[in-house]
Amino acid sequence: HDLSEAMKLGDRIAIMRDGAVVQMDTPENLVANPADEYVANFMKDIPKSHVLCLKTIARPAKPGEATDGPELDGDTIIKEASPIIVGSPKPIRVSLNNKPLGVVTSDDVLRLISGEAR
């Protein structure tokens, strides 16, 4: 019944409507990929930066954009990575299992928080 607490503690969370499971998934997938409008509305008050990982917003570097900034793991929660992202003059390189996924900048985080990005 306490969604914020469930998002912190749960590995998988079930969202139900009228006694039926609408979506059972990880907290990250519930926020990033809601199954329908009901789930999206249920998740709307959850701060995305507290749940989503860098891999969710990593993007290819733009032409001429630096790719030699600090490197962070793609599974790092955006909120936890924010001090490093804001403090770096260069885009953050995001990788997962030693495989490059792309870059993230403070602008990318702002777009997420403002609702312009996933």
Side-chain angles (χ1 to χ4, degrees):
H1 293 281
D2 184 344
L3 183 57
S4 294
E5 191 70 15
M7 297 299 274
K8 290 177 192 171
L9 300 175
D11 292 348
R12 295 184 56 80
I13 299 169
I15 304 296
M16 299 179 72
R17 177 177 48 208
D18 300 327
V21 174
V22 177
Q23 184 174 357
M24 185 184 311
D25 218 325
T26 64
E28 185 175 12
N29 279 332
L30 286 169
V31 171
N33 304 303
D36 61 15
E37 190 174 332
Y38 178 80
V39 177
N41 284 334
F42 206 86
M43 295 290 130
K44 72 179 179 190
D45 293 331
I46 299 296
K48 291 181 178 184
S49 64
H50 293 206
V51 178
L52 298 180
C53 296
L54 290 174
K55 65 186 175 192
T56 307
I57 62 169
R59 57 168 177 78
K62 297 173 185 170
E65 190 172 36
T67 57
D68 61 342
E71 184 174 358
L72 291 174
D73 188 88
D75 283 332
T76 305
I77 300 291
I78 294 168
K79 178 183 176 187
E80 296 168 6
S82 290
I84 296 166
I85 296 168
V86 169
S88 176
K90 296 181 179 181
I92 301 300
R93 294 177 296 133
V94 180
S95 63
L96 194 60
N97 300 323
N98 296 318
K99 183 177 177 183
L101 298 178
V103 297
V104 171
T105 65
S106 56
D107 285 346
D108 298 318
V109 174
L110 284 173
R111 276 193 286 283
L112 174 83
I113 293 169
S114 71
E116 290 184 28
R118 272 175 152 212

